[in-house]
Amino acid sequence: MNPAAHGTVLALCRVHQLAATRTGFGVTAIDKRPVAEPVAIRKFGVFGDVQGDREHHGGPDQAVYAYSQEDADFWSRELGREIPPGLFGENLRTRGVETTGAVIGQHWRVGKHLLLEVTSPRVPCATFAERMGEPHWVRRFTEAGRVGVYFRVLHKGKVQAGDTVTVEPAPAHGITVGKFFSSPTVEDVHTLQALHDAGELTLSAHYGKYFRRILHNE
């Protein structure tokens, strides 16, 4: 078993202001910005934050979104602009730990008390593209595969910039959110479904549609 990995929270972000989208999907809370003080993270995410669309990207299975500074630096080079914390709508900007490389079902300990469980990759959408204002953004983000990771909250706790992130040893199946997003296989589906059915892994409800698409080439 691999030892735990350690990193740092560079920024804790929550919604700065709600905005109506131009794409017809109502109100978005993607405009997140860093806050300096410690903030509680609970079942539905960062206290004082908002989930504008719980049906498609929200709810307890996508309570917290993390993105690494390493991947943000990649996009800064690609786009020729700064990617400040919160620009991608993330709650946690991290350094020193894999986000896209997080294994489904893996646990992260953040600060003194917060315990998170890896659930799923971030799937880019029209609202994200509108936020970025970059040509063909959904396609570019998808092809790069640097998607970051969603979590559910297993144990609530307060978090602030500078807190330590401890990534616990990965489950044996080894399927990362990045792998599942970019190159999922039928074998991956069968593995995850079997673990879920055996009670060894709790899959997000979002996986049902992904599984159907992979199995039936939808």
Side-chain angles (χ1 to χ4, degrees), residues 5-9 92 94-95 97 108-111 163-167:
H6 299 279
T8 304
V9 175
L92 299 177
T94 65
R95 186 187 296 280
V97 288
W108 285 31
R109 296 187 179 274
V110 186
D163 278 350
T164 298
V165 178
T166 300
V167 179

Side-chain angles (χ1 to χ4, degrees), residues 118-182:
V118 173
T119 56
S120 58
R122 194 259 188 80
V123 177
C125 62
T127 300
F128 188 22
E130 181 181 318
R131 164 84 160 163
M132 292 301 296
E134 296 285 346
H136 313 294
W137 178 247
V138 170
R139 176 178 60 78
R140 294 171 72 182
F141 190 79
T142 297
E143 290 177 352
R146 297 169 182 261
V147 291
V149 58
Y150 277 117
F151 300 93
R152 67 170 59 91
V153 177
L154 298 183
H155 192 285
K156 65 185 180 181
K158 288 188 175 182
V159 174
Q160 66 184 113
D163 278 350
T164 298
V165 178
T166 300
V167 179
E168 297 188 350
H173 64 78
I175 302 170
T176 68
V177 292
K179 168 69 164 61
F180 189 83
F181 178 83
S182 296

